[in-house]
Every structure is written in C-alpha cells, then in structure tokens.
Amino acid sequence: MKTRYRRFSTARIIEHWLQLITFSVLVVTGLSQKFYTLGLAQWFIMHLGGIDMVRLVHRGTGILFSLAVALHIGAAAVGIVYKRWQPSLIITKDDIANAIHNVQYYLGSKNYPAMSGKYNYTQKFEYWGILTGGLLMVATGAVLWQPLIATRFVTGEIIPASKVLHTNEALVVFLIIAVWHIYNAIFSPGVFPLNTSIFTGYLSRERMAHEHLLELARIEHSTPEEIRMLHPEECPFEVMPRSEGPADPPKDP
Amino acid sequence: MLILLSILFVASGGVAGTTDRLSEEQERCLECHAKPGIIKVFQNNESLDAFLDPNTFHASVHHDLACTSCHTEFSGGLHPERQFKSIQQYRIKSSLICRRCHADDQISKHTVHTGVLNTGKPPVCTNCHGSHGIVRISGKGAFTNEEQYCMKCHNRPVTMHLKNGERQALVVNTLSLKMSVHGKLSCSDCHFGFSSEEHPERMFRTGRDFSLASSESCRRCHFDKYTKTLESIHYTMLSQGKLNAPVCTDCHGSHEVAPVGKERTASAKRCQRCHAQEYDKYAKSVHGKALFNDHNQDVPVCADCHTAHTIEDPFSLDYRERIPEMCSNCHGKTEIVGKYGLSTNVVKTYLSDFHGITLGLYKMQKGAGAKPRKPIAVCTDCHGTHGISSVRGSDAAVVKSNLLKRCQKCHPDANEHFPDAWLSHYEPSLKRSPFVFIAGFVYQLFIPLIVIGFVLQILLHIWRYAVNR
C-alpha cells in the first residue's frame, strides 16, 4: 500500500507557480490603483517608480496571466476531449448536496462530513470562481488597456463598465484567494502549517483518506467503508462517525 | 458781413489776447518760436523742439523778463548758431542762466535743493522747474506737514527730464491720494530718502525705468507680497530684460492705490491692459457675463485662478496640475455653486476617474522624484480656459461633438463612441449609464455576502474541529 499518491503533475505545479506569481503581482499593482487613497497603496506606487510604472507592470503581468489562463483552458479542453483528463472539476449536483451536508455537519445535525472525490466542493467553487473571474478580468483589462480599440466596436460606456467589473471582480478574486484559499491551504487545522501537495505533487494516503476518501477508494479499487474498517488509524476523526447521535452513513459517490 | 467780422474777431482774439501782453522783443522771438517744428539737433543726434507756448510763458513768473534777459547771446539781429554735444549739456549750460539771478546762497535756503547742490554735479534747474513755464512756489516754509511741503510742487504739472529726451510727469492728485489706502501715510514713507530736508536728484533713462524704480518702494511695507512676486512669471520676464512686465504700480497704481478685493470688476480690468485677448474671451464667458452683466461677485476673476502676486507660468506643468484644485475652490463648495443649481459632484467625479486619479498620483510623484510621463487632462482641457461657456441647455449632440474634438487632442484615434466613456460628471444611475450602475450595485451586494459566507464557513469549520477534538 502506497503511503502517498501523485496528485498533481509537474505541469500543474509549474502552472500554479506561474499563477501564484502573476496573481500576486496583479493584486499588489492592481489593488494599489483601486485603493489609491490609502497610504500603503501610495507608498507602494511611489516606491515602484510612479503610477505609470505600476500600470506598465500590471499590464505586462496581465498579459502573462492571460496567457497562463489561455494555456490552462486549452490544455484542459484538449485533455478532456482526448480522455486523458477526468472532468473532476465540473460542479455537479452532488457538490451542492455536499455543501448543504457539510453545513449540517458543522451545525451538528450530521455525523459525517461529506466525502469528496479528487476535488471537494469548496475547491471546485474556488476553481470556477477564480477561472470565471480571471476571464472577466482578462476581457475587461484588455478594454481598459486599449479603450480606443474597444470603442471601435462597442459604445463608450463599456469603458466605465469595464472599470467597475475589473476592479470589483479583482476584489472578489482577491478575497477568494486571501480568505478562502489561504485558509484551506494554510490555516485550516487539518493542513496547518501548509498543504504542500501543489508544490510537491504528492499527497499522503492519510490526507487522501481525510480529504478525498472517494478518490482514494477509486485509486485503491476499494470503498470508503473498507478503507475505514481496514485502516481506522489512518482515518482522522473528521471522517469517523461521531460516538453520539444517530448513525448517518456516508453517501456513495 | 457782421457775422464774418465777428468770427474773424474771435478767431484772432486768442493771438491778440496773448501778444497784447507780450513785449515787442518777446513778440519778435515768438514769431518763430510759437510755431512748432523748429528742431534743434545736437551732435549726438538727439533733438529738441524749440517750440514755446506763448500762454505758458505768459503765465510764468518770468513773463515780465525780456527774452534776452536770459538768452543774452541773442538779440533782435543776432541769432548765433550754437553747438552742444547733447541735450544734457545744453540743459546744464541753460541752467547757468538761472544761476545768474538765483545764486547758491538763495536756493540753498530751500532744503529741497540741498540734495541737488551736494551731488557735486552741476544742477539742472529745468529738470524740475521747466524752462519757460516756471511758476511761483508758495508756502514760504510754513507747512504743517510733510505732505503740504511736497505738494507745493507736486500738485503742479512738474516733470523730470529723462535721458531719452522724454519728460516724466511728477504731478500727484491730492484728492486721489487722500482717497487711496495710503491716504494717511507721509510722502517719505514711500519716497525713502526724500523729505523736507533732502531731495536727491535722480536720473532715469526712460519712464519705464522710473516706474520700475518707484515700485521698489512698495516692498518696504508689503514685503510678503513682494517676495511672492519674485516667484512670478512677471518677475521672471522682468529679469530676462522684458521691461514691460508689470510691477506693483502697474496694477495697483501709485498714488491712487485702491482697496483690493472689494470690486472684482476692477481687479479683472487691471489685467486687461496687457492681456486684452484673454480678457475679451473672459468677458464673453459664463463667468465674465455674470460678473459684468449681473455684477455677480461669486464668479472668479483673473486673480482667483492666476493669483495676484505669485503669478505662475500658466503653461507650466505645476500650474496645470493645480487647475482642478482651482476649479474646486468654487465648484467643490455647495455654498458657492449650490445657489446656481450646480452640483459639487463635478469635482468628485473627475477626481475619482482615470484622469483625476492619475493627476493626483502625478502630483505626489513629483515629491517622490518620479517624473510624470505626460500631462493629464484637467478641467480646462474639456471646458476651455478664459472662454468657458455653460453647457446648461445646450444640445447634447453638440456637446458630445465638442467633447470628441477635445478627446482627440490627446487621443487622435478616438471615434464618436469614445466620449461616452466619460460619464460627463454624472454618477451612474439606472437612467444614466444603467450598465455601469447595475454592475456596481451587484458587486456592492455580492462582495459583503461572499465575505460573510467565507467567514461563517471558516468559523463553523474551526468550531466543528474543536468540538470533535
């Protein structure tokens, strides 16, 4: 029995690094423009060489980010079409049910947390939030960068509208990453101090059983129940039924 | 016939009236010298008109003297040709004539002459007293104050000779002086070095040199204003040798300085003397019409934007960057523009838009040493400067067309859609820019919801984790 499983390929690790770097630069150079009245934003703008430099860096990084997004979508489309990738990030109705189930679990009306496959519902929502937000940012960023070209095809109102969409969506994406992603990848009690899988490419079997039980069962050609019964010591308490309360058997994938 | 005779009588009366009072010798001289056009040319090519007004002469204290009493080298049959190097030499020699009767002992009794006599240079009497129009100076030394003392001469049309041959009037209108803000000052408060004890002789090349020197007096009291003028474009021009650049007295006057700030129309008109084109545009603008037609004191005059003393180069980047601040001095204050139904949002909407934000950061950058890449659009780029017109009631298509032309100054490829990128100082609403409004509104709801959702989810997760453990 393996003690760890390959979760991300080298390409995905590189892609994450690229997104991490470009996203960080875009956030710093973008939000400092949005919140230009704040002292910290002004300090940053002045120290980077002025607003023109900040915009230049932001736009240059935006191109890199756009290319990374395009590459990701292209690779995912090809991968899925040629059956080399599982469409494991597609949101299904089970994800909605799992979200409701988990809230019930947190509130104490369910004994088990929802079991997930390769990606749980929070990761899927986060992924699609970032992807759709990213696409919106790319499109509106292009309009803001080249307003003269944009107004050749559409009314001028697209420019202030793009500004509203771009800056607000930036804030949404930033909040998704800064609050939700950072919590789940760093500060969540189950992973603290860091979920290293996106950097190493591997996830321990224990963590797989903990966070992706259905995926583990699929890989090991087993069932969640078998995994629990055969190796209860590897299953963290979150996966185990609570001692009190009515039994609530886990849902099949 | 009677009418014709009457006309002839009246017409000849002036001459007869004057000549009747003149001696035979005087009449003979005036046969030529009462006619303009007798020009004396000096060796340095300076020239002097030898014209003499009979009336002026008759009113002078010397009207009883024969011409030859002073001009001893001349007589009825003797009119020698004399050569002088310059006007100054001629005047010095002519003054020697005065000294035949008015000896040093006599004239030194008057302290006003002390400064002239003590210079070591030959005094030129005619510089102050003139030549043929000399009038009596009364007062006999019994003056109650300095002003009376000075005005015994300076309320008369006294002049001084300038090196360029012109004369500088030195007359002071007593009434204007009394009505001015300086009415209670003594003459020597401004004319430092001059008093009932001293009256140094000064020579100026031109009347402009005299004005420039005179305006220096102002700084003794108004040093703060003076130092401001040193930073102005007017002083820069002056220091570059452009002597027409205005100094204190050009705008405020000399002896008739009026209180500033009370009458804004007068303030605007001061600038008109040199800036006629700008003034004309301003007079036709929405501001100018309100000032001149309605006497509206809320509208800006020249000094409100350009300042009164620290007048900066209006084409400088520094000045340009302060334009929104200048406009906001009125258009950002409800108490000023509110009564005309104008919104103060015009400033806020500009400052929160691309150009306004960029401008604000450019201004900060200058202090930080990062140089702005290019000038950014400010109020005047769209609204104009001196000829600002009201857009109220204007045809929207015309306004948009004009706006496009202004956009194209910086964005040559802008098409007819481009001006719609600017919301014309309006806040987005369902009526105006609905798409922008809806997008902003959705995010205003969505962002707090998403934050609340995240925080709740995290808190619940931590709580469950803690309970289970």
Side-chain angles (χ1 to χ4, degrees), chain B residues 146-162:
Chain B
E146 186 181 76
E147 185 202 325
Q148 278 189 8
Y149 178 83
C150 297
M151 294 305 283
K152 76 179 180 182
C153 297
H154 287 283
N155 68 355
R156 299 165 190 279
V158 285
T159 58
M160 70 185 287
H161 285 291
L162 301 167

Side-chain angles (χ1 to χ4, degrees), chain A:
Chain A
M1 188 174 62
K2 288 184 176 180
T3 57
R4 64 175 193 169
Y5 287 98
R6 185 81 182 182
R7 183 162 167 78
F8 298 112
S9 66
T10 307
R12 298 284 76 75
I13 294 169
I14 293 170
E15 187 179 49
H16 182 263
W17 271 112
L18 186 60
Q19 293 291 359
L20 189 153
I21 294 166
T22 55
F23 180 81
S24 302
V25 174
L26 287 170
V27 161
V28 174
T29 54
L31 291 186
S32 60
Q33 292 182 64
K34 179 173 175 65
F35 299 106
Y36 64 96
T37 54
L38 298 179
L40 183 64
Q42 290 170 2
W43 179 89
F44 176 79
I45 291 169
M46 296 305 127
H47 281 79
L48 198 68
I51 185 63
D52 291 330
M53 178 58 76
V54 171
R55 285 180 179 148
L56 186 69
V57 172
H58 188 74
R59 288 162 182 169
T61 314
I63 291 174
L64 275 179
F65 178 82
S66 305
L67 289 174
V69 169
L71 199 65
H72 173 81
I73 293 171
V78 170
I80 289 170
V81 167
Y82 287 95
K83 308 286 185 188
R84 295 184 64 178
W85 285 15
Q86 294 296 317
S88 49
L89 276 162
I90 300 293
I91 294 174
T92 64
K93 60 183 179 182
D94 285 346
D95 293 307
I96 309 294
N98 285 349
I100 296 167
H101 180 105
N102 259 16
V103 172
Q104 290 172 326
Y105 167 70
Y106 294 147
L107 294 172
S109 60
K110 295 280 185 189
N111 287 332
Y112 292 95
M115 291 183 295
S116 64
K118 186 166 185 179
Y119 300 106
N120 63 32
Y121 71 92
T122 61
Q123 290 167 328
K124 289 184 182 180
F125 291 158
E126 183 184 316
Y127 170 80
W128 285 105
I130 301 290
L131 185 65
T132 54
L135 287 171
L136 184 64
M137 302 285 285
V138 169
T140 52
V143 169
L144 291 173
W145 189 6
Q146 296 295 340
L148 291 170
I149 295 174
T151 49
R152 280 186 207 163
F153 308 103
V154 283
T155 175
E157 198 184 337
I158 192 73
I159 294 163
S162 291
K163 188 184 169 191
V164 170
L165 291 169
H166 192 82
T167 59
N168 283 294
E169 188 59 32
L171 195 57
V172 169
V173 173
F174 171 71
L175 289 170
I176 290 173
I177 296 293
V179 180
W180 193 233
H181 184 71
I182 295 296
Y183 173 75
N184 287 321
I186 298 174
F187 294 109
S188 175
V191 301
F192 189 81
L194 181 65
N195 183 347
T196 56
S197 61
I198 193 62
F199 302 109
T200 62
Y202 290 95
L203 192 64
S204 68
R205 188 178 184 283
E206 182 187 344
R207 290 280 303 282
M208 284 285 280
H210 179 187
E211 296 167 14
H212 305 284
L213 188 56
L214 296 177
E215 174 71 354
L216 182 63
R218 186 186 69 79
I219 294 169
E220 294 184 346
H221 305 290
S222 178
T223 64
E225 292 76 18
E226 279 177 0
I227 293 169
R228 279 205 199 99
M229 292 175 66
L230 289 172
H231 305 285
E233 73 286 355
E234 290 180 356
C235 296
F237 62 82
E238 267 198 15
V239 184
M240 299 302 287
R242 294 209 310 267
S243 54
E244 64 273 11
D248 185 15
K251 182 161 51 79
D252 287 332

Side-chain angles (χ1 to χ4, degrees), chain B residues 340-411:
Chain B
Y340 308 107
L342 298 173
S343 168
T344 51
N345 267 352
V346 293
V347 178
K348 196 178 88 180
T349 48
Y350 168 78
L351 292 175
S352 60
D353 197 68
F354 177 81
H355 293 125
I357 293 171
T358 308
L359 180 79
L361 291 167
Y362 274 178
K363 284 166 82 173
M364 285 181 203
Q365 277 172 231
K366 281 195 301 185
K371 195 179 170 189
R373 198 173 56 182
K374 58 188 174 185
I376 201 82
V378 293
C379 315
T380 51
D381 289 305
C382 293
H383 293 279
T385 49
H386 300 101
I388 295 169
S389 58
S390 172
V391 290
R392 189 178 281 168
S394 304
D395 184 77
V398 175
V399 172
K400 188 178 172 183
S401 165
N402 289 337
L403 188 58
L404 176 60
K405 285 176 196 160
R406 297 188 193 271
C407 293
Q408 285 171 335
K409 283 184 188 172
C410 299
H411 308 284

Side-chain angles (χ1 to χ4, degrees), chain B residues 40-270:
Chain B
K40 172 72 179 169
V41 179
F42 299 96
Q43 287 173 352
N44 67 349
N45 289 328
E46 289 177 330
S47 60
L48 187 69
D49 195 338
F51 168 73
L52 168 58
D53 179 9
N55 290 320
T56 304
F57 177 67
H58 192 264
S60 81
V61 293
H62 295 149
H63 69 276
D64 288 336
L65 297 179
C67 301
T68 51
S69 301
C70 295
H71 303 283
T72 51
E73 299 166 57
F74 297 84
S75 67
L78 198 61
H79 199 296
E81 179 75 20
R82 296 186 305 166
Q83 290 293 324
F84 297 95
K85 286 180 184 171
S86 62
I87 289 179
Q88 184 64 6
Q89 189 199 23
Y90 170 76
R91 284 180 181 146
I92 290 168
K93 292 214 170 188
S94 299
S95 290
L96 294 176
I97 298 169
C98 309
R99 307 302 294 283
R100 285 188 220 137
C101 300
H102 304 284
D104 281 1
D105 290 347
Q106 182 202 350
I107 63 173
S108 62
K109 287 176 187 170
H110 300 281
T111 49
V112 70
H113 293 135
T114 312
V116 181
L117 294 171
N118 290 344
T119 57
K121 296 176 186 172
V124 182
C125 308
T126 52
N127 278 355
C128 297
H129 296 278
S131 50
H132 296 96
I134 297 166
V135 290
R136 181 178 297 281
I137 304 297
S138 61
K140 308 289 185 188
F143 304 110
T144 55
N145 58 35
E146 186 181 76
E147 185 202 325
Q148 278 189 8
Y149 178 83
C150 297
M151 294 305 283
K152 76 179 180 182
C153 297
H154 287 283
N155 68 355
R156 299 165 190 279
V158 285
T159 58
M160 70 185 287
H161 285 291
L162 301 167
K163 286 183 181 173
N164 65 357
E166 293 172 0
R167 295 183 74 86
Q168 172 67 44
L170 298 173
V171 64
V172 177
N173 185 313
T174 315
L175 185 63
S176 297
L177 178 62
K178 281 289 165 198
M179 296 289 287
S180 80
V181 290
H182 296 145
K184 291 183 179 174
L185 295 181
S186 297
C187 303
S188 60
D189 287 336
C190 296
H191 298 282
F192 186 69
F194 290 81
S195 68
S196 55
E197 307 297 324
E198 297 177 280
H199 199 294
E201 186 188 18
R202 298 189 301 170
M203 278 301 288
F204 296 97
R205 194 170 50 88
T206 62
R208 188 60 189 160
D209 283 354
F210 173 77
S211 301
L212 296 176
S214 301
S215 71
E216 292 290 308
S217 302
C218 307
R219 70 173 163 182
R220 292 179 61 216
C221 297
H222 304 285
F223 195 72
D224 58 331
K225 304 289 188 300
Y226 173 78
T227 49
K228 284 181 180 174
T229 63
L230 298 182
E231 297 166 13
S232 74
I233 187 172
H234 288 153
Y235 184 81
T236 305
M237 291 168 68
L238 199 62
S239 58
Q240 289 168 349
K242 294 171 185 166
L243 301 183
N244 284 336
V247 290
C248 313
T249 50
D250 292 312
C251 298
H252 294 283
S254 48
H255 295 98
E256 63 282 355
V257 180
V260 291
K262 287 187 179 172
E263 182 44 70
R264 293 166 70 75
T265 309
S267 170
K269 287 191 172 177
R270 280 182 201 136

